[in-house]
Amino acid sequence: MHDTAHKAEAAAWLAMLGDNLGKGDIEATLDLLQDGCCWRDLVAFTWNIKTMEGKPAIAEMLAATLAATTPSASEITQASKTDDGAIQAWFSFKTSAGQGQGIFSLVDGRCRTMLTTLQSLDGHEEAAGMTRISGVTHKADRNRETWSERRAREEAEFVEGTADPYCLIIGGGQGGIMLGARLKQLGVPTVIAERNEKAGDSWRNRYRSLVLHDPVWYDHLPYVPFPDHWPVFTPKDKMGDWLEAYVKIMELTYWGSTECVSAVFNPETKRWRVELLRDGKKMIMQPTQLVFATGAYGPPKMIDLPGADSFAGEVLHSSHYSEGSAYRDKKVVVIGAASSGHDISVDLWEAGAEVTMVQRSPTTVIRSETLMELGFDIYSEQAVQNGIDVDTADMIAAATPFALQPPIQRALTEKIRTRDAEFYRKLKATGFLHDFGEDDTGLMMKAFRTGSGYYLDVGASQLIIDGEIGIKAGVEIDRLSKNAIHFADGTALEADVIIQSTGFHSMHEVVASIVSRETADRIGTCWGLGSGTRNDPGPWHGELRNMYKPVAQENLWLQGGNLALQRFFSKFVALQIKARMEGIETPVYAPPL
Amino acid sequence: MHDTAHKAEAAAWLAMLGDNLGKGDIEATLDLLQDGCCWRDLVAFTWNIKTMEGKPAIAEMLAATLAATTPSASEITQASKTDDGAIQAWFSFKTSAGQGQGIFSLVDGRCRTMLTTLQSLDGHEEAAGMTRISGVTHKADRNRETWSERRAREEAEFVEGTADPYCLIIGGGQGGIMLGARLKQLGVPTVIAERNEKAGDSWRNRYRSLVLHDPVWYDHLPYVPFPDHWPVFTPKDKMGDWLEAYVKIMELTYWGSTECVSAVFNPETKRWRVELLRDGKKMIMQPTQLVFATGAYGPPKMIDLPGADSFAGEVLHSSHYSEGSAYRDKKVVVIGAASSGHDISVDLWEAGAEVTMVQRSPTTVIRSETLMELGFDIYSEQAVQNGIDVDTADMIAAATPFALQPPIQRALTEKIRTRDAEFYRKLKATGFLHDFGEDDTGLMMKAFRTGSGYYLDVGASQLIIDGEIGIKAGVEIDRLSKNAIHFADGTALEADVIIQSTGFHSMHEVVASIVSRETADRIGTCWGLGSGTRNDPGPWHGELRNMYKPVAQENLWLQGGNLALQRFFSKFVALQIKARMEGIETPVYAPPL
C-alpha cells in the first residue's frame, strides 16, 4: 500500500505547494489544486474550524492567513493509493505557532482535498513518552511538596477562591471530561462543574437497558484507551465507572453537585463572573474562558399536547425515564421514534408494558450488525490489526470534508438497502415510516445535520415487526383526553402514560439560561451544517455550527457530540484555549457561525 | 537485527528438537544442547516454575513430563543475533493443555538456554481483541440482566454465602489485585480480601514522601498499561488511586476492611474453610484455592533491644512510620540501612529531625540515574520506541535463568563502580558500609536472594555524604537507656525516637498465623534462591522458593514481589489455578520448595 513511487509523487507536489506558499504566491498555489478542491483547516491556518470549498474560497483564506501562519518544513510521512486511484498522503508541517499534521489527496497531479490540523504549540508540548515528567526530584528537600499535597492545594485554592481557574467547563459528562483532560495535559488550570454528584452519573442516570450503540473502537477517550478485553458495546453503568476512574487518573479538578447559576462576561477584564451553587452553597468564580459542555443537545424539548390538563396519567420527557418496572401492564405511548424512543420502547416492553410508538416523521433505521460491517471499517479490531489506531482513524475520517460526504454516504445507503432489503420490507409493512434522509445520505448525515431522526437497531425493530411494539405513524396528534391520545384521523390510543421522546432544544438555549437571551441569540443555533434539509436550514456552511471554535461571544466555547467527535475536537478546543492563555496570536479567519 | 538467516538456523534447530521430542528420543534431544544448558520452564512442561540446569536435569525432566505434555507445532516467530554472537530465537508451540511461547539461544548450533512458558489453555482463552465479548445481546429480552444487575448479583452471592468463590486471595495490594485481574479474565470466581478499607491503601498508608523507585516502564499492571503521560516514578498516593481505579475497571470482587482470621483445609472435599471478619462481622467462606498475596514479606521483624523498658522515647517499626512532622527537632535513630531506612531518614530530615542511621551490615547502594541508564535498558521509553513492550521485555528478562545471572550482574557492577567511583568514594568516607553483595552480583541478586540490603539512591546518599544524616556503622547495639542507644564499642547516641527499619519475616509466617504452624513449617521459608550467601542458605534451587507454584500444601499459593515480578508471574499462577478449576490434568514435576 505505502508505495515509494506514490510517496515521491506526493513529496514533489508538496514541495511545490511549500514553495508557492513560502513565496506567498497564491495564484501559483491555486494551479496545484483541482477546481472543486476542498481545504479543511482545523486551527492551523484559520484558528478556526473551517472548510474552504473551491479555489476562490481557498484563495481568500490564504490571502488572509498566510502572512501570520508562515507554513514551512512540510514533509510527507506516508502515501498510498486509494481505491478510486487517488494518491492519499500524510504530511507534517510547521506554522508560526506550532506543529501541524495533514492529509491531502491528489488526482491527476492536482489536489482534491486538503486537511491541515494544528497538533501542538511550540514550547507548550504535552509531556508524554520521552518527555514525560519524572514525578519526583531525586534530592532531599525540606520544602518538598508531595504529589498528594500538591493535588490537595490545587483543589483547595479554587474552592477557597484564593485563585481562579483559567477555564471553567460547565458540564462534566464525557465532553467536559475529555476537554478537561486535554487542558490538564496542556497545563491550563481548569475546573469542571457538574450538576450530578459523581463523574459518570450522566450515564448511570439513564434508562436501565442502555448500552452504547457505537462500538468500542469508536468510543475511546484520549490518553487512556479502553483495554483489549473491553466489550464491543459498553453498558451505561460500566461507562459511568470508566469516566469516574478516568477523572481520577487524569487528575482533573471535578466538582460534582455543582450548578452554574449565571455567567456574565466583563469586556474590560475579559473575564467571566460566574455564580455557582456548589453543594448548595453559592460561590463566585472568575475564569477567563467558559466552556459549555452540557451535551450536544440543549434542554429537553416537549411538544404541546392540547388537553394535557384533562389527561389522568403521567406525561414525562424521555430524559427523565430511567426504567420500566412501574409501568408493567400499563398502556404507554412513546411519542418519537428516534434512538431513545426505540430504546425506551424496548425497555418498557421488557418490563411488561403495552407500548405504542407514535412516529411523526420518517426515521433512518440501520441494523447495528450492518453498520458495524459497512460503516465502521476504520474503527474496528481489523483496523487496529492493520495499524490504524484511533488517532489515525480520526484523521482519516476528518480528511473528507462534509461537502464531499453525500455521494459517499449515498453509496453506503445503497449497500445497506440491498443487504437488508428483507428487513426494511418487513419494517415498512408495519406502517413504520423509514427513510435514509431526504437525499438518501443516511444516518451519518442526519447525525451531523440535526442529531436526530435515526436509530441504530439493537433489537427494537424486530419487536415492531413482530407487532410487540405498536406503531402509529404519520398522523398528527390532535389532543389528549382523560385516558387517551387522539389523532387527527379520528383514531385514538388508550394511554396510562405518555413519554415524550421528542428531542432537545439547541445547545444555545443553555447559554440563554445561564448567560443571557441576547448572547444566545447573537451566537445563534448550534450543530447542523446548513444543508437546507429538514430542521437544518441553509445557508450551507460546511462545518458544525458554533461547535469547537470561536463563536459570536468572546471567550465562550461549545463542546458537544458523541464520544468520537468530542475525543477528536477536544484537542483543537484545548489548543485554542491554551494559545489564548499563553498570549499567542490567534487571528481567527472568517466570522463565527 | 531480525535476520532471515538466523531465523532459518533457529528454525532448523527447532525442527530437530521437535522431531526428537515427538519421538520421545531424549538421548537425541540432549545432543542438541550445550553441556551447561539451562532449561527454564514456566508451567508448560512441569506445571511448575522450574529451571533444569545441565543435561542430566533436563533429561530427567523430559523423561517425567514428555508423555503428558506432547509438545508440538513449534514455530520460530523471530530470531536475532545477540552481542555475544549467540542466536536468540522466539518460538510458539502447543502442548496437550494449551499454547506456549518460548525463547532459546544457540551457540555453535547448540542450545545454551531454553525458556518454555504456557500462555493459554485451549478452550479457555481470554476474550480480548478479536474475541472480546459483545457486552450486549442485540435483542429485546424480558429476562434481560443488565451489566450492573449481573455485577450486583455476583457481588451479593459471595456476601450472602449462597455461593463460594473458587479462589480466595488474602491481601488486596498490587499482587492480589493483579492476580485477581488475571483470574477474572480467565473466568475464575474470585474474592480478594483486604484488611485496609480501600484498594490502594497499602500504598497510601506508607510514609509521606514515598515514590516508586522503579520506573514506569517496569511497573505496568496487566491489561491496563499506564498512559504515556504517566510520570517516570509514581508517587505512592497516585499509585493508590491507580490501583483503586484498576479494581473498578477490571470488575474485581474486592472486599475492603476484611481480615482473614483462620483457614483450615479439608483434604476430603479439597476445600478450605476460611473465617473472615468483614467489616467486623464474622463470615465463613469455602473456596477451593487459597492465595496468600500479603506482600513479598511477612510480618514486621523487630530486633531485640536490651533495656527497651527503660527507654523513655518511642520505638516503632518502619512499617508503622507515616510522616515526620511529629519528630521535628527530635533526635531519631533509624536502625537499618536498606531502602526504607534510607527513605525514612530523608523524610525525617526533611521534617527537621536530627537523624542517625545505624547500619549493621553493608548495603548495596546504586544511584537511580545510573540504574535507569544501565539496568533498565529493556524497560525504557527507548525500548518502547524499538517495539519492546512490557510483555516482550518480561519474556526477555525471564529467558536468562537465575543460574546464569551472576556473571552478567558482575559485569553490570563493574560498569556501575567505574561510572560512580567518586560517589562511592565519598559515601564510604562517611563510614557507610557499602558492597555489591558478597560476590559482587549487586542489587538484583540481593533482591532475589533476600529482598533486602539495598537502596536505589534517590537522594539520601547525598545527605549522608554531606553529614546531614549521621551514620553509625558496623558496631553492634548493646542496649537502650532512658535517652540513648548504646553500642558495643562503648559509644552512645542520644535518642528521642527509635525506628526499626529491620525488615520483615518470611511470608510463611503469615501462613503460620492463619493456617497453622505445622503447615507453614511444612511449606518452609519463602523467597530466596538458595545461593548460600548471607540470609539465603543453600542448597541451590534456582527459582524463588515457594513462589508462584505448588507448595507443600495442596491448593495454597504464595504471590508476592515487586510490581514487575507479580505482573509476570500472576499470569502463571492464574493459569495453574484455572487449569485446576477446569479439571485439566496438572502433573507437577519435582517436589515443592
Side-chain angles (χ1 to χ4, degrees):
Chain A
M1 288 275 282
H2 298 171
D3 195 322
T4 49
H6 302 143
K7 201 166 167 179
E9 188 181 339
W13 183 87
L14 186 64
M16 288 191 284
L17 178 75
D19 215 38
N20 291 338
L21 293 180
K23 289 186 290 193
D25 189 341
I26 294 174
E27 198 82 358
T29 301
L30 296 185
D31 280 346
L32 297 172
L33 314 179
Q34 293 211 325
D35 275 343
C37 178
C38 287
W39 184 324
R40 186 180 202 195
D41 182 63
L42 309 179
V43 189
F45 283 67
T46 61
W47 289 101
N48 205 340
I49 306 292
K50 182 84 189 149
T51 297
M52 282 54 67
E53 301 173 6
K55 289 189 180 188
I58 293 170
E60 192 187 296
M61 179 274 284
L62 289 175
T65 64
L66 209 45
T69 308
T70 63
S72 66
S74 52
E75 202 174 319
I76 298 291
T77 50
Q78 55 167 305
S80 58
K81 200 140 196 161
T82 62
D83 291 343
D84 62 355
I87 286 174
Q88 189 175 60
W90 290 63
F91 67 108
S92 59
F93 62 99
K94 290 180 193 292
T95 71
S96 56
Q99 308 294 312
Q101 194 180 40
I103 301 177
F104 61 83
S105 63
L106 293 183
V107 175
D108 301 332
R110 287 199 161 78
C111 179
R112 182 171 60 183
T113 60
M114 168 66 79
L115 168 70
T116 46
T117 70
L118 183 68
Q119 290 290 321
S120 62
L121 294 163
D122 288 345
H124 306 286
E125 294 82 3
E126 297 185 19
M130 286 284 186
T131 63
R132 68 176 84 213
I133 62 166
S134 164
V136 67
T137 311
H138 283 166
K139 191 177 179 319
D141 176 5
R142 284 207 162 130
N143 301 311
R144 183 195 297 273
E145 183 180 49
T146 67
W147 175 84
S148 43
E149 286 158 3
R150 177 179 58 75
R151 287 285 298 136
R153 176 175 53 76
E154 288 171 354
E155 295 283 323
E157 61 192 10
F158 299 139
V159 174
E160 291 160 4
T162 54
D164 285 301
Y166 181 75
C167 181
L168 172 65
I169 300 175
I170 305 176
Q174 59 202 36
I177 288 171
M178 284 193 265
L179 178 59
R182 301 268 196 199
L183 290 169
K184 177 80 185 184
Q185 291 310 108
L186 285 170
V188 176
T190 301
V191 168
I192 303 171
E194 164 62 32
R195 197 193 317 226
N196 289 306
E197 189 191 337
K198 293 198 308 283
D201 283 353
S202 52
W203 281 102
R204 292 190 191 96
N205 292 344
R206 299 193 65 196
Y207 46 90
R208 171 180 169 271
S209 56
L210 178 64
V211 168
L212 266 62
H213 290 188
D214 291 329
V216 61
W217 306 281
Y218 193 59
D219 296 333
H220 288 296
L221 276 66
Y223 306 113
V224 191
F226 293 114
D228 279 351
H229 68 277
W230 203 258
V232 177
F233 301 99
T234 308
K236 64 159 182 126
D237 293 311
K238 190 168 173 68
M239 190 65 201
D241 287 352
W242 180 260
L243 289 174
E244 194 178 348
Y246 185 88
V247 162
K248 194 100 186 204
I249 288 167
M250 297 302 299
E251 302 184 18
L252 308 187
T253 300
Y254 191 98
W255 291 1
S257 307
T258 302
E259 214 157 330
C260 185
V261 179
S262 67
V264 180
F265 186 66
N266 183 332
E268 307 279 307
T269 62
K270 305 280 186 195
R271 287 167 73 183
W272 292 89
R273 188 176 188 281
V274 183
E275 185 184 330
L276 297 165
L277 276 180
R278 185 169 190 262
D279 288 323
K281 200 175 139 241
K282 179 177 149 175
M283 57 181 294
I284 301 297
M285 183 183 278
Q286 300 191 67
T288 303
Q289 306 289 344
L290 188 65
V291 180
F292 285 81
T294 46
Y297 307 113
K301 189 159 72 185
M302 300 277 277
I303 60 168
D304 194 41
L305 296 169
D309 289 351
S310 63
F311 183 63
E314 187 186 358
V315 181
L316 71 161
H317 189 264
S318 58
S319 57
H320 297 119
Y321 175 88
S322 68
E323 57 95 37
S325 61
Y327 304 120
R328 188 182 164 83
D329 295 329
K330 296 238 164 114
K331 294 182 176 68
V332 185
V333 172
V334 175
I335 303 176
S339 294
S340 58
H342 276 84
D343 270 0
I344 288 172
S345 294
V346 171
D347 203 79
L348 286 162
W349 177 87
E350 290 184 351
E354 191 181 304
V355 193
T356 305
M357 202 188 270
V358 174
Q359 188 185 26
R360 299 175 306 149
S361 57
T363 309
T364 301
V365 177
I366 299 181
R367 296 176 61 236
S368 169
E369 196 188 304
T370 302
L371 201 67
M372 286 284 285
E373 206 177 299
L374 301 178
F376 282 110
D377 50 337
I378 57 171
Y379 295 98
S380 66
E381 195 67 37
Q382 194 55 60
V384 173
Q385 305 286 333
N386 294 339
I388 301 176
D389 65 10
V390 65
D391 293 330
T392 306
D394 282 351
M395 282 290 286
I396 294 171
T400 303
F402 288 114
L404 303 184
Q405 285 289 355
I408 299 168
Q409 296 304 317
R410 270 192 288 265
L412 179 61
T413 292
E414 263 329 291
K415 280 193 201 166
I416 293 170
R417 213 177 235 147
T418 308
R419 183 193 153 110
D420 293 333
E422 183 63 11
F423 168 78
Y424 289 117
R425 195 191 57 70
K426 286 184 188 164
L427 187 60
K428 285 180 178 170
T430 67
F432 189 92
L433 303 175
H434 183 269
D435 73 1
F436 284 97
E438 295 172 30
D439 54 356
D440 270 353
T441 53
L443 188 149
M444 190 178 115
M445 293 316 286
K446 272 202 179 178
F448 285 117
R449 289 167 176 173
T450 67
S452 66
Y454 56 87
Y455 171 58
L456 209 48
D457 178 32
V458 289
S461 298
Q462 193 59 47
L463 288 183
I464 293 169
I465 290 168
D466 294 343
E468 295 286 323
I469 292 175
I471 283 292
K472 179 79 184 176
V475 185
E476 286 300 303
I477 296 166
D478 180 39
R479 64 186 167 83
L480 302 190
S481 62
K482 189 177 175 198
N483 303 310
I485 176 165
H486 299 263
F487 296 90
D489 64 357
T491 59
L493 277 172
E494 282 183 57
D496 301 312
V497 182
I498 293 172
I499 296 175
Q500 291 211 24
S501 197
T502 39
F504 298 84
H505 292 284
S506 159
M507 277 185 83
H508 83 302
E509 292 301 324
V510 183
V511 176
S513 70
I514 291 177
V515 184
S516 72
R517 181 81 255 164
E518 184 275 323
T519 305
D521 289 346
R522 185 150 37 87
I523 292 172
T525 189
C526 304
W527 208 261
L529 304 169
S531 63
T533 58
R534 187 167 172 274
N535 292 332
D536 182 31
W540 174 252
H541 43 87
E543 293 285 348
L544 288 170
R545 281 191 198 91
N546 284 315
M547 301 303 296
Y548 322 122
K549 59 188 172 186
V551 300
Q553 167 62 53
E554 223 178 332
N555 294 11
L556 185 153
W557 307 84
L558 295 154
Q559 170 77 7
N562 63 14
L563 284 154
L565 282 170
Q566 302 219 57
R567 169 185 64 240
F568 184 64
F569 282 104
S570 57
K571 175 163 198 168
F572 302 106
V573 176
L575 285 171
Q576 291 173 81
I577 289 175
K578 173 70 172 176
R580 282 160 175 83
M581 183 175 106
E582 298 297 339
I584 295 166
E585 288 292 316
T586 57
V588 177
Y589 174 68
L593 53 62
Chain B
M1 287 277 281
H2 299 171
D3 197 321
T4 48
H6 302 144
K7 200 166 167 178
E9 187 180 338
W13 184 88
L14 187 63
M16 287 190 285
L17 178 75
D19 215 39
N20 292 339
L21 293 180
K23 288 184 292 194
D25 189 341
I26 294 173
E27 198 82 358
T29 300
L30 296 185
D31 280 347
L32 297 172
L33 314 179
Q34 293 211 327
D35 275 342
C37 179
C38 287
W39 184 324
R40 186 179 202 196
D41 181 64
L42 309 180
V43 188
F45 283 68
T46 61
W47 288 100
N48 206 339
I49 306 292
K50 183 84 188 148
T51 297
M52 280 54 66
E53 300 173 8
K55 289 189 179 186
I58 293 170
E60 192 185 297
M61 180 274 286
L62 289 175
T65 65
L66 209 44
T69 308
T70 62
S72 67
S74 53
E75 202 174 320
I76 298 290
T77 50
Q78 55 168 303
S80 58
K81 200 141 196 161
T82 61
D83 291 344
D84 63 354
I87 286 174
Q88 188 175 60
W90 290 63
F91 67 107
S92 59
F93 62 99
K94 290 180 192 292
T95 71
S96 56
Q99 307 294 310
Q101 195 181 38
I103 302 177
F104 62 83
S105 63
L106 295 183
V107 176
D108 302 331
R110 286 200 161 77
C111 181
R112 182 172 61 184
T113 61
M114 168 64 81
L115 169 69
T116 46
T117 70
L118 183 67
Q119 290 291 320
S120 62
L121 293 164
D122 289 344
H124 305 287
E125 294 82 3
E126 297 186 19
M130 285 286 186
T131 62
R132 69 176 84 213
I133 61 165
S134 164
V136 66
T137 311
H138 280 165
K139 192 175 179 317
D141 176 6
R142 284 206 162 129
N143 301 312
R144 182 194 297 273
E145 183 180 48
T146 67
W147 174 85
S148 43
E149 287 158 3
R150 174 179 59 76
R151 287 287 296 135
R153 176 176 55 75
E154 288 171 354
E155 294 285 323
E157 61 192 10
F158 299 139
V159 175
E160 291 160 6
T162 53
D164 283 302
Y166 181 75
C167 181
L168 172 64
I169 300 175
I170 306 177
Q174 58 203 35
I177 288 172
M178 284 193 267
L179 179 59
R182 301 270 195 199
L183 290 170
K184 175 82 186 183
Q185 290 312 108
L186 285 170
V188 177
T190 300
V191 167
I192 304 171
E194 164 62 33
R195 196 193 318 228
N196 288 305
E197 188 192 339
K198 292 197 308 282
D201 283 354
S202 52
W203 281 101
R204 292 191 191 96
N205 292 344
R206 299 193 65 196
Y207 47 91
R208 169 181 171 269
S209 56
L210 177 62
V211 168
L212 266 64
H213 290 188
D214 291 329
V216 60
W217 306 281
Y218 193 58
D219 296 333
H220 288 295
L221 277 65
Y223 306 113
V224 191
F226 292 114
D228 279 351
H229 68 277
W230 203 259
V232 177
F233 301 100
T234 308
K236 62 157 183 129
D237 293 312
K238 191 169 172 69
M239 191 66 202
D241 287 353
W242 180 262
L243 290 173
E244 193 178 349
Y246 186 88
V247 162
K248 193 100 187 204
I249 288 167
M250 296 304 299
E251 302 184 15
L252 308 186
T253 299
Y254 190 98
W255 291 1
S257 306
T258 302
E259 215 156 331
C260 184
V261 180
S262 68
V264 180
F265 186 67
N266 183 332
E268 307 278 307
T269 63
K270 305 280 186 194
R271 285 167 74 182
W272 292 90
R273 187 176 188 283
V274 183
E275 184 183 332
L276 298 165
L277 276 180
R278 184 169 191 260
D279 289 323
K281 202 176 140 239
K282 177 177 151 175
M283 58 181 293
I284 301 296
M285 184 184 277
Q286 300 192 67
T288 304
Q289 306 290 344
L290 187 64
V291 180
F292 285 82
T294 46
Y297 307 113
K301 188 159 72 184
M302 302 277 278
I303 60 167
D304 194 40
L305 295 171
D309 289 349
S310 63
F311 184 62
E314 187 186 357
V315 180
L316 69 161
H317 188 266
S318 59
S319 57
H320 296 119
Y321 174 87
S322 68
E323 56 96 35
S325 61
Y327 306 118
R328 188 182 166 85
D329 296 328
K330 296 237 164 114
K331 295 183 175 66
V332 185
V333 172
V334 175
I335 303 176
S339 293
S340 59
H342 276 85
D343 269 0
I344 288 172
S345 293
V346 171
D347 202 77
L348 287 162
W349 177 87
E350 290 185 350
E354 192 182 305
V355 193
T356 305
M357 203 188 268
V358 174
Q359 188 184 25
R360 299 174 305 149
S361 57
T363 310
T364 301
V365 177
I366 300 182
R367 296 178 59 238
S368 169
E369 198 186 304
T370 302
L371 201 67
M372 286 284 286
E373 207 178 298
L374 301 178
F376 282 110
D377 50 337
I378 57 171
Y379 296 97
S380 67
E381 195 67 37
Q382 195 55 60
V384 174
Q385 305 287 331
N386 294 340
I388 301 175
D389 65 11
V390 65
D391 294 328
T392 307
D394 281 350
M395 283 290 287
I396 293 171
T400 303
F402 287 113
L404 303 183
Q405 286 289 354
I408 299 169
Q409 297 303 318
R410 270 192 286 266
L412 178 60
T413 292
E414 263 328 293
K415 281 193 201 169
I416 293 170
R417 213 176 236 148
T418 308
R419 184 194 151 111
D420 293 333
E422 183 61 12
F423 168 78
Y424 290 116
R425 195 192 56 73
K426 287 183 187 164
L427 187 60
K428 285 178 179 170
T430 68
F432 189 93
L433 303 174
H434 183 267
D435 73 0
F436 284 98
E438 295 173 32
D439 53 356
D440 270 353
T441 52
L443 189 149
M444 190 178 115
M445 294 316 287
K446 273 203 180 177
F448 285 117
R449 288 166 177 175
T450 66
S452 66
Y454 57 88
Y455 171 57
L456 208 49
D457 178 32
V458 289
S461 298
Q462 193 59 49
L463 288 183
I464 294 168
I465 290 168
D466 294 344
E468 294 285 324
I469 292 175
I471 283 292
K472 180 78 186 176
V475 186
E476 286 300 304
I477 297 165
D478 181 40
R479 63 183 170 86
L480 302 191
S481 63
K482 189 176 176 200
N483 303 309
I485 176 164
H486 299 262
F487 296 92
D489 63 358
T491 60
L493 276 171
E494 283 183 54
D496 301 312
V497 181
I498 293 172
I499 297 175
Q500 292 212 24
S501 198
T502 39
F504 298 84
H505 292 283
S506 158
M507 276 186 83
H508 84 302
E509 291 301 323
V510 183
V511 176
S513 71
I514 291 177
V515 183
S516 73
R517 182 80 256 165
E518 183 275 322
T519 305
D521 289 345
R522 184 151 36 86
I523 293 172
T525 189
C526 305
W527 208 260
L529 304 169
S531 62
T533 57
R534 184 166 173 274
N535 293 331
D536 180 34
W540 174 252
H541 43 89
E543 294 285 347
L544 289 170
R545 281 190 198 91
N546 283 317
M547 302 304 296
Y548 323 122
K549 59 189 172 187
V551 299
Q553 166 62 51
E554 220 177 336
N555 294 11
L556 185 152
W557 307 84
L558 294 154
Q559 170 78 5
N562 64 13
L563 284 154
L565 283 170
Q566 301 220 57
R567 169 185 64 239
F568 184 65
F569 282 104
S570 57
K571 176 164 197 165
F572 302 107
V573 175
L575 285 172
Q576 291 174 81
I577 289 176
K578 174 69 174 177
R580 283 160 174 82
M581 183 175 108
E582 298 298 338
I584 294 165
E585 288 292 316
T586 58
V588 177
Y589 175 68
L593 53 64

